[in-house]
Amino acid sequence: MKTIALICPDTIGHHETYLRLFTQTLLDAGYRVAAFTPQPEQLTDWAVHTCPDRLDQLTTFNLVHSRKYRVPGPLSIFFDKLAWVRFVAGAIKSAGVQPDLVFHTWLDNCITPGLTAALTDLVMPFRWSGLYFHPWYLRQNLRFARLRRGPLSTEAALRSRRCPAVAVLDEGIADRLHMRLAGKPVIVFPDPADASPPDRDFLPAKDIRERAQGRTIIGLVGALAQRKGLLTLLEVARQAASEPWFFVFAGQLMLSSFLPEEQRLIQDWIQAPPPNCYFYPQRLPDEAQFNAIIDTCDILFAAYHHFLSSSNLLAKAALFEKPVIVSEGYCMGERVHQYGLGVTVAEEDVAQSLAAIRQLSAQLAHDGHFTTGRFAEYRQAHSNERLRAAFTQLLAAANL
């Protein structure tokens, strides 16, 4: 029986979700899984309830990377990622695991200009692959593009002879990355949602319904960071004070992502929310509570700022059949157009956001639900079955 080492750098949000999905997929396919994660007990507890008949195939190890020092200056990212690759290799050796493949659930930690295939091979003695979440540069016209080649190309490490294939979420860049890697397999993975039943006893979800009093509920759910369009939606809420709409802001508040004056504005809103707003500025405890908030909303707001990649919120929208507002262009905008999941708007455009909410709320009021979205088709494209097929393709490329 072959062994796959799963490397998960974090347990917040989608990190834990993907670790569980990948673990179950590999266990069901008959592989041994050695999972390295900062909270191995969480994965073990989950496995006891989810796949108790396969526990003998799973071992978990603690993986906490504490940097003793940081190199200052423009080379800090390079040295951080080199240190991470070395740390992972050392952790696998110390655990006594002999994996047939190391799979990084967040491959982005191993990729940066200057981190070449030769250097990666020097510090990582195992065959490896992973899921590359954010190859944003492949959707941009970068300055000094001619200099970003060879050892200075972002994906230089992926040319390693020990890397048989790469997984990506953004289908729009897969062919381009495939060509840049001289034909190395680039497998498009789905972005499936955790379908845990909503926690009907989650008090914030109950509170939202009671306070909304029948108004259309627009939700920004997940990390409340600058890039998520929080300030834009706050301004929308301010201008829509007389509309029959109720705005929900739920998730961990990332205040450090905002300027000082923006932080003060946000805190003022939270401390004294207007009648059309509800704030739950803390991490949602688990997927069942996250899904409870999603299920409560009528419209999801995901008009992120300069976000070029896939977002799991689209899978959540499809799962609960909620129309979504996203920024025009790139991966999310393309998918919303392709599957009719909602409306696209220009980034940070309050007027267009107001118009989108007005359009969607009118349709919901008329039809009772969002009738134009091909939600089932999106769910199928980003299903666990599709994940199994994609993993099978990647492992075949690795001769496993």
Side-chain angles (χ1 to χ4, degrees), residues 85-390:
V85 175
R86 291 185 61 189
F87 168 73
V88 168
I92 295 171
K93 292 177 183 177
S94 297
V97 176
Q98 293 294 327
D100 296 282
L101 183 72
V102 175
F103 190 88
H104 296 267
T105 64
W106 184 267
L107 187 57
D108 305 53
N109 277 359
C110 309
I111 302 170
T112 192
L115 187 52
T116 63
L119 185 54
T120 302
D121 288 342
L122 185 64
V123 298
M124 173 60 72
F126 309 104
R127 299 181 78 214
W128 58 274
S129 181
L131 179 56
Y132 192 3
F133 269 76
H134 297 303
W136 289 343
Y137 65 99
L138 295 176
R139 282 188 172 269
Q140 295 175 299
N141 293 319
L142 299 178
R143 297 176 62 191
F144 311 114
R146 292 185 178 182
L147 299 178
R148 300 172 184 266
R149 298 178 179 178
L152 293 181
S153 65
T154 301
E155 74 281 352
L158 300 180
R159 298 189 180 94
S160 166
R161 57 188 173 83
R162 293 198 177 103
C163 175
V166 183
V168 297
L169 293 176
D170 183 356
E171 63 276 13
I173 57 85
D175 287 344
R176 189 173 179 184
L177 183 59
H178 174 70
M179 289 188 293
R180 290 173 70 108
L181 296 179
K184 179 172 291 191
V186 175
I187 315 299
V188 178
F189 270 35
D191 197 352
D194 186 306
S196 298
D199 181 358
R200 303 298 180 188
D201 295 323
F202 189 43
L203 291 178
K206 291 183 176 181
D207 202 16
I208 289 168
R209 292 187 189 276
E210 291 174 2
R211 296 193 188 189
Q213 297 180 335
R215 289 174 285 180
T216 300
I217 301 172
I218 300 97
L220 196 166
V221 187
L224 303 180
Q226 190 276 339
R227 66 179 178 83
K228 291 294 189 73
L230 173 61
L231 293 174
T232 301
L233 193 58
L234 286 178
E235 179 58 22
V236 168
R238 189 189 69 80
Q239 294 189 23
S242 61
E243 299 281 358
W245 305 338
F246 190 69
F247 296 86
V248 171
F249 303 84
Q252 184 176 359
L253 178 60
M254 316 294 286
L255 265 183
S256 61
S257 67
F258 298 92
L259 298 173
E261 60 269 24
E262 295 171 340
Q263 295 181 21
R264 289 190 291 270
L265 172 67
I266 294 166
Q267 290 174 322
D268 288 344
W269 276 72
I270 292 173
Q271 291 167 7
N276 67 339
C277 290
Y278 179 91
F279 292 91
Y280 184 79
Q282 52 191 294
R283 184 189 176 198
L284 294 161
D286 208 339
E287 288 296 323
Q289 290 77 40
F290 191 102
N291 289 349
I293 299 295
I294 294 289
D295 191 41
T296 300
C297 298
D298 298 299
I299 299 169
L300 298 175
F301 185 84
Y304 302 156
H305 297 171
H306 202 58
F307 187 82
L308 285 63
S309 302
S310 176
S311 169
N312 193 246
L313 194 71
L314 292 183
K316 293 287 189 184
L319 180 64
F320 292 96
E321 302 200 347
K322 308 291 183 179
V324 61
I325 298 170
V326 307
S327 296
E328 176 65 32
Y330 307 123
C331 182
M332 291 179 69
E334 290 169 2
R335 289 181 182 173
V336 166
H337 283 302
Q338 180 181 354
Y339 294 95
L341 302 180
V343 179
T344 62
V345 298
E347 288 185 18
E348 302 182 77
D349 194 310
V350 173
Q352 288 191 21
S353 297
L354 283 163
I357 295 171
R358 190 169 288 111
Q359 173 188 334
L360 292 173
S361 59
Q363 183 174 347
L364 291 171
H366 182 269
D367 299 328
H369 63 284
F370 191 63
T371 58
T372 59
R374 298 197 304 279
F375 294 118
E377 189 177 335
Y378 190 90
R379 289 195 298 269
Q380 179 58 37
H382 295 271
S383 63
N384 290 343
E385 291 77 16
R386 178 69 189 90
L387 176 62
R388 284 194 286 272

